[in-house]
Amino acid sequence: MIDPSEAAFTAMLAQVEARRREFSELRHIPRDMVDEFIRVGLFRAATPAKFGGDALPPAEFLRKIERISAVDASAGWVASFGSALVYFASLPLTTQAELYRDGPDLVFAGGLFPVQEAMSEPGGYRLNGHWRFASGCAAADMLGVGISGGQDTKGKPLTALLKPEDVEIVENWDVLGLEGTGSNELRVVDKFVPEEYTFVRGGDVNVDEPLFRYPAIAYAAQVLAVVNLGVGRAALDYLTEVGSGGSGITGAPRLADRAYFRIELAKAESLLRSARAFFYEITETAWEIVLRGDPLDDRTAGLLRLAGTAAVKAGWQATQIAFTLAGTGAIYNGHPLQKMLRDAAVPPQHAFLGDGIFDSAGSVLTGGTPFPGFI
């Protein structure tokens, strides 16, 4: 039973908080927790209304992921893939109808890279290969892998959809942070995928609803970037609480009575809030354009990508500042800021959110041609 109420969402957050150590130890978010994400509507947030979904405005979904990430970044990262069904709008309507036959709550995960060559056969493709970084794959209803496109895709790779039973999950996720995302490797051996179960990520869509006119690649970057806004918020809130407490280990004045602490905390607060304001401002602006039925210009789409990278870096920087200001206590294993620091270090490494995005955004802002795959 779907319950999108605030009370249900708050109860789900309490479960995340109680189980976050479990997620890290398991190195994935188990299906029963994903079912709780489903129950509050996260995995119908990008399902077309015509198939019973909610097709939520991006900012509404992003704020939900930010709140989850403030409790546990891995849970927020996996829940963020409730947005990934925007890609399915590029599939034939008959295929979409089949995928949503049992309801609009579909959990999708996949690893696009490294893109593999697939053997073309009548009606589809024969797949063999392995793919990395399939976040949330352990609890998915459908899995996607990347295969080379051709003239029809203008050289862009295709995503081929498979059922979980047709894919081997190679459990090799042993990382610095975001341990609970279960971003393991996928291996496929001699499986046939019909052509109608392949799509170009961010390609032309077959659903005429506002969400599917919003730029899919920009949205994919945003749902990952917002994880760090949540982590940065949690880190600064924790630091503020600790700094307002008693004296330090050495008996020195409490942190809040030290000028350097107050100054750096204020700077970090300003940094995070500024990036967050830009992030949601451009998201709302782009959505207003989409709702009017106007095409989204390259500049606005470029600003969406820029805001995502600015947000992910601000969250990382705010968390580093919090860790540094917390003092000696933060070096102990089990300190809350240690996990936040490790988690916040990972999203800026994602290809969608790296420093190259600044170059691409600058090109668009100065009237240049968008780099391939940027928007």
Side-chain angles (χ1 to χ4, degrees):
M1 183 70 177
I2 302 299
D3 183 357
S5 68
E6 175 60 25
F9 196 88
T10 300
M12 178 271 292
L13 290 179
Q15 289 194 53
V16 171
E17 183 173 13
R19 300 180 65 183
R20 55 192 174 190
R21 177 173 292 183
E22 174 194 351
F23 304 155
S24 292
E25 291 172 349
L26 288 173
R27 295 192 178 275
H28 69 270
I29 307 297
R31 178 65 197 216
D32 67 315
M33 190 67 242
V34 173
D35 286 340
E36 293 303 311
F37 297 156
I38 290 173
R39 195 170 76 87
V40 297
L42 292 175
F43 281 91
R44 61 175 56 190
T47 302
K50 70 179 298 168
F51 294 113
D54 294 337
L56 291 180
E60 184 175 343
F61 182 76
L62 290 164
R63 288 188 174 95
K64 292 176 184 292
I65 301 305
E66 183 183 9
R67 290 178 64 189
I68 298 172
S69 302
V71 178
D72 182 70
S74 290
W77 188 273
V78 170
S80 81
F81 289 99
S83 68
L85 296 184
V86 295
Y87 298 141
F88 285 17
S90 296
L91 291 164
L93 289 175
T94 52
T95 302
Q96 294 184 56
E98 178 63 23
L99 288 169
Y100 298 124
R101 179 182 58 185
D102 296 328
D105 304 294
L106 191 66
V107 182
F108 170 63
L112 185 62
F113 297 104
V115 172
Q116 304 285 340
E117 295 291 337
M119 184 178 297
S120 182
E121 295 186 2
Y125 303 91
R126 180 71 54 180
L127 273 60
N128 287 278
H130 61 90
W131 293 263
R132 301 180 66 192
F133 303 117
S135 300
C137 58
D141 300 316
M142 293 295 296
L143 294 166
V145 296
I147 60 175
S148 297
Q151 288 185 339
D152 291 344
T153 68
K154 299 179 182 178
K156 295 180 180 179
L158 288 165
T159 298
L161 296 180
L162 298 112
K163 296 178 180 179
E165 57 263 33
D166 293 329
V167 180
E168 177 191 358
I169 296 176
V170 181
E171 295 188 9
N172 57 0
W173 188 241
D174 186 13
V175 290
L176 170 75
L178 295 184
E179 304 102 320
T181 62
S183 304
N184 289 299
E185 184 177 300
L186 303 180
R187 181 176 293 155
V188 177
V189 179
D190 195 33
K191 296 298 180 182
F192 178 78
V193 176
E195 184 175 1
E196 61 269 23
Y197 279 80
T198 66
F199 60 86
V200 175
R201 187 169 61 170
D204 294 337
V205 299
N206 295 309
V207 177
D208 186 19
E209 296 179 17
L211 180 60
F212 308 100
R213 296 194 294 269
Y214 191 89
I217 300 301
Y219 195 23
Q222 286 185 291
V223 299
L224 303 180
V226 80
V227 169
N228 259 21
L229 287 181
V231 178
R233 180 71 272 148
L236 293 183
D237 286 349
Y238 178 85
L239 182 68
T240 302
E241 180 180 353
V242 169
S244 301
S247 62
I249 293 173
T250 64
R254 65 179 190 148
L255 291 171
D257 291 333
R258 307 178 198 184
Y260 76 86
F261 177 88
R262 297 192 300 267
I263 291 168
E264 294 304 314
L265 174 61
K267 287 181 180 179
E269 190 72 34
S270 175
L271 171 72
L272 187 68
R273 286 180 180 268
S274 296
R276 185 178 187 274
F278 174 32
F279 182 83
Y280 284 111
E281 176 196 9
I282 192 60
T283 300
E284 298 282 13
T285 297
W287 184 242
E288 289 171 4
I289 293 171
V290 166
L291 286 179
R292 291 199 303 265
D294 295 334
L296 201 65
D297 59 283
D298 288 349
R299 180 182 176 85
T300 302
L303 286 171
L304 285 173
R305 297 299 309 273
L306 176 60
T309 295
V312 82
K313 293 186 180 300
W316 167 226
Q317 292 166 15
T319 306
Q320 290 179 80
I321 292 169
F323 179 83
T324 301
L325 291 176
T328 308
I331 71 172
Y332 285 91
N333 288 329
H335 192 282
L337 282 170
Q338 278 210 8
K339 184 178 188 306
M340 294 179 199
L341 187 73
R342 294 195 304 270
D343 286 341
V346 177
Q349 304 298 106
H350 197 282
F352 276 0
L353 298 165
D355 283 349
I357 300 301
F358 289 121
D359 184 20
S360 300
S363 177
V364 171
L365 292 175
T366 54
T369 302
F371 294 3
F374 179 58
I375 56 178

